[in-house]
Amino acid sequence: MSINPNLAVNIGGLQLQNPVMPASGAFGEDMEEVIDFNRLGAVVPKSITKQPRGGNQTPRVCETYGGMINSIGIQSKGINYYLKHILPYYQKYQSPLISSISAESIDEFAEMSETIAEVPHVRAIELNISCPNLKGNGLAFGMDEALTYELIRKVRGVTDKPIIAKLTPNVTSIQDIARACEEAGADGLNVANTMLAMAIDVESRKPKVGNIMGGLSGPAVKPIIVRLIYQVYQATKLPIIGCGGVMTGMDAIEMMLAGATAVQVGTANFVTPTAMIDILEEIKAYMKRHGLVCIDDIVGGVAEPVTK
Amino acid sequence: MVVDASPVKETIEPGQFFNIKCGESYFPLLRRPFSIYKINDTTLEFMYLVKGAGTKYLTRLETGDKVNLFGPLGKPFSLEQSYQTILLVARGVGIATLAALAQKAAQDGIRAVAILSARTTNDLLAAQELQEFGAEVYKVTEEEGTSDVANVRKMVNQIMIEHPIDAVFTCGSKRLSILLQDMIKENHIPGQIALEEHMGCAMGVCYACVCDVKEEDAVHSVKVCKDGPVFPLEKVVLK
């Protein structure tokens, strides 16, 4: 006889029925025909910007070995449309909504967070301080410890709802950024956004994405993400959402062993539109097979090498 | 590639596409969008050009193998009942989606005239199939020096003199599409274009495959996978 494992997790005060949710930018209303949103740990609509944004020139995606590069550039209809149309759409689902915000300045992050956090069914804010496709050379707030601290601090001042900082992997020491987030009052960390990358078509000599550089995602980045999660888990006490290359339930478990409490699924949704449900089932099956009763039994459970 | 379409419950129409998994491993990782080439009673046919790792994988499949298809996706072509003669202009593998339309046109008793363009006569695809559907087919190639825009313009003009054309449909060439935008404006006839673009999700969530369309005086961005791939020809901004 096996006990039904409990998949519920808590991300800085946000209670989720399970640890599987979409990655911002790889999920949207149009997926409702393919999967039951009520089965997800949370729903995370695409990052919203204050003003409408056109996004980058096409091609916006290209394939690489075991992954893809995207340079979408946060095409967005702006915050007014988001408040009027996108957020209300998700009201009918019981899965908590995490609102992903992208902004051009610290003040704008705070202003947008304040407005969006006032929407009752927005249960948490994810601060996208790490999109590599907005500024030249992939520059992002999340690359600078002091800016990150100031940004989180400011947003902390405008809302009591959980704040999740989405970190960039394109840094020398992610631990420093993670600690800055913790000290500034963040409730959780998303590890991580895409990796700044580039691919060139050797026949035409053209970069394979219109914006020249883009963000690498997919199974190819997973070992780096596992390492980053492991480092962040050592450095802070904040719950971690692992993001980058989760294709299967075992990938999710691996991230949890490194220290993640939940995972986000992006690229896998494109390959298998029902991937998130499959991943959820695989996590459950793993827990049963190992006699684990809750996710906490996995988080940070990587075995350390025996020292002689 | 011919697949058993009996598991597909949805109605499948010309202009729509399937996003096909082209491998079992993580390379190639992403699905590839393929427009529908032929819609038969129990099977579906796809025509593809072997270009990269994905299409190479498809060539290795054998009769009886399973293919993972996601679809039907996208908005189809629309054929008005009042149409008597339509003009199809395709370049290269762009003919695939127009062949499906020619098939439907034949079923609806609409006459199709087609101009097929390719680099060489060897690259001309589906000419025979189109003829079997009753289409009148004209071929132009670089090889024969007949595929330049000026010559195609002359041909279209000539065709329009011979038959009144009720609508124009195109796929596969920006150059020819721009020409046809001009010509449908001059002749006050409607047109539809099937666009091709690199896709991510093919479900309308990722904003990878976008294009601009002009509605009245405003230009706005649409998703090729969800809002298209078929669009009114006159509205698409072809850069």
Side-chain angles (χ1 to χ4, degrees):
Chain A
M1 200 194 84
S2 69
I3 326 154
N4 234 358
N6 178 7
L7 274 82
V9 293
N10 192 294
I11 305 286
L14 175 67
Q15 186 67 23
L16 309 178
Q17 61 173 340
N18 70 63
V20 180
M21 66 182 92
S24 165
F27 177 77
E29 299 97 290
D30 288 320
M31 276 175 78
E32 69 172 358
E33 293 168 46
V34 191
I35 55 164
D36 178 3
F37 292 178
N38 282 323
R39 291 199 61 194
L40 302 174
V43 289
V44 189
K46 184 174 172 63
S47 286
I48 191 64
T49 56
K50 187 179 175 188
Q51 302 298 337
R53 277 183 64 88
N56 293 330
Q57 69 181 95
T58 56
R60 290 177 169 186
V61 289
C62 80
E63 190 173 66
T64 57
Y65 283 107
M68 63 181 276
I69 297 175
N70 88 74
S71 66
I72 310 290
I74 314 197
Q75 182 166 340
S76 153
K77 289 184 177 159
I79 192 169
N80 291 336
Y81 183 90
Y82 186 75
L83 292 167
K84 221 168 151 187
H85 299 284
I86 297 177
L87 290 180
Y89 163 85
Y90 288 100
Q91 230 167 342
K92 60 184 177 220
Y93 297 107
Q94 61 171 45
S95 302
L97 186 143
I98 300 175
S99 180
S100 171
I101 295 174
S102 174
E104 287 177 17
S105 68
I106 290 175
D107 287 338
E108 194 176 282
F109 263 110
E111 182 195 327
M112 289 178 71
S113 299
E114 189 169 13
T115 309
I116 286 171
E118 275 170 19
V119 178
H121 71 285
V122 169
R123 301 284 301 282
I125 302 271
E126 181 175 274
L127 299 171
N128 184 355
I129 56 170
S130 48
C131 180
N133 289 322
L134 301 183
K135 293 221 168 94
N137 282 315
L139 273 179
F141 287 104
M143 289 177 171
D144 186 294
E145 211 182 310
L147 282 177
T148 300
Y149 177 85
E150 198 191 326
L151 193 157
I152 305 287
R153 190 90 207 139
K154 202 108 192 218
V155 175
R156 181 74 292 163
V158 302
T159 180
D160 292 330
K161 288 192 175 170
I163 298 171
I164 299 156
K166 186 164 183 175
L167 304 186
T168 169
N170 308 313
V171 289
T172 310
S173 167
I174 198 166
Q175 298 95 315
D176 293 345
I177 308 289
R179 274 189 290 258
C181 291
E182 187 172 36
E183 283 160 22
D187 301 288
L189 299 171
N190 179 328
V191 179
N193 211 315
T194 51
M195 248 151 263
L196 190 62
M198 182 169 169
I200 303 166
D201 182 310
V202 296
E203 299 300 329
S204 67
R205 299 192 174 197
K206 283 184 188 162
K208 285 189 177 176
V209 292
N211 200 41
I212 304 175
M213 286 178 268
L216 182 67
S217 64
V221 306
K222 190 193 65 174
I224 299 172
I225 297 296
V226 170
R227 181 267 295 179
L228 291 168
I229 293 169
Y230 183 74
Q231 289 179 317
V232 170
Y233 187 69
Q234 312 298 316
T236 82
K237 289 192 171 62
L238 293 180
I240 296 164
I241 303 172
C243 179
V246 176
M247 305 298 286
T248 68
M250 294 314 103
D251 296 333
I253 299 289
E254 189 181 353
M255 287 188 184
M256 288 172 178
L257 289 170
T261 298
V263 295
Q264 289 188 348
V265 180
T267 305
N269 295 329
F270 302 169
V271 180
T272 310
T274 56
M276 289 186 282
I277 305 301
D278 300 343
I279 289 165
L280 188 56
E281 290 303 325
E282 287 160 13
I283 293 172
K284 217 184 281 178
Y286 172 91
M287 290 173 76
K288 279 188 182 170
R289 186 152 50 86
H290 288 266
L292 305 170
V293 293
C294 64
I295 298 289
D296 255 355
D297 289 349
I298 313 170
V299 179
V302 58
E304 297 293 335
V306 182
T307 43
K308 282 181 189 162
Chain B
M1 179 170 70
V2 184
V3 301
D4 172 17
S6 52
V8 185
K9 296 287 169 268
E10 291 86 352
T11 325
I12 303 165
E13 292 184 73
Q16 290 188 298
F17 67 99
F18 280 80
N19 212 17
I20 303 181
K21 181 93 181 83
C22 296
E24 282 130 43
S25 68
Y26 290 155
F27 187 78
L29 179 71
L30 297 175
R31 288 168 182 268
R32 310 290 198 252
F34 293 94
S35 60
I36 298 149
Y37 167 52
K38 273 190 197 170
I39 304 164
N40 309 317
D41 287 342
T42 57
T43 61
L44 269 181
E45 293 180 41
F46 296 95
M47 179 166 72
Y48 60 89
L49 209 59
V50 183
K51 250 185 145 175
T55 43
K56 265 184 208 132
Y57 166 83
L58 293 182
T59 62
R60 292 194 295 268
L61 292 174
E62 288 175 21
T63 309
D65 283 350
K66 284 213 162 91
V67 199
N68 184 326
L69 296 100
F70 176 49
L73 302 166
K75 304 263 186 303
F77 289 110
S78 71
L79 273 181
E80 303 288 327
Q81 297 245 310
S82 60
Y83 293 168
Q84 288 179 346
T85 310
I86 56 170
L87 174 66
L88 316 176
V89 180
R91 169 84 178 169
V93 79
I95 188 55
T97 189
L98 293 181
L101 183 68
Q103 185 183 19
K104 173 96 185 304
Q107 287 160 4
D108 293 358
I110 299 168
R111 178 192 167 86
V113 181
I115 299 176
L116 305 186
S117 170
R119 204 159 335 140
T120 69
T121 38
N122 259 341
D123 298 329
L124 283 164
L125 303 164
Q128 202 183 330
E129 282 78 0
L130 284 174
Q131 278 159 346
E132 282 165 21
F133 296 143
E136 191 177 316
V137 178
Y138 297 90
K139 302 166 190 174
V140 295
T141 62
E142 267 94 305
E143 194 178 47
E144 297 167 320
T146 49
S147 64
D148 58 289
V149 172
N151 189 54
V152 175
R153 178 184 279 273
K154 233 187 284 168
M155 284 175 83
V156 175
N157 273 328
Q158 188 57 37
I159 290 166
M160 285 180 169
I161 291 166
E162 284 164 25
H163 328 267
I165 297 292
D166 297 307
V168 175
F169 299 84
T170 189
C171 182
S173 162
K174 195 186 287 180
R175 212 160 50 90
L176 293 177
S177 302
I178 292 170
L179 166 72
L180 293 169
Q181 278 184 330
D182 265 11
M183 301 197 77
I184 62 168
K185 203 171 172 188
E186 285 164 20
N187 294 281
H188 308 287
I189 51 175
Q192 291 169 40
I193 182 171
L195 291 178
E196 304 160 293
E197 188 53 81
H198 294 264
M199 289 185 185
C201 68
M203 297 180 277
V205 307
C206 80
Y207 290 87
C209 62
V210 291
C211 77
D212 285 341
V213 296
K214 218 171 149 179
E215 213 110 35
E216 276 137 33
D217 278 332
V219 172
H220 61 103
S221 176
V222 292
K223 304 166 195 170
V224 174
C225 65
K226 188 82 185 182
D227 303 319
V230 177
F231 293 97
L233 176 58
E234 70 279 8
K235 286 187 183 169
V236 172
V237 180
L238 297 159
K239 281 167 237 159

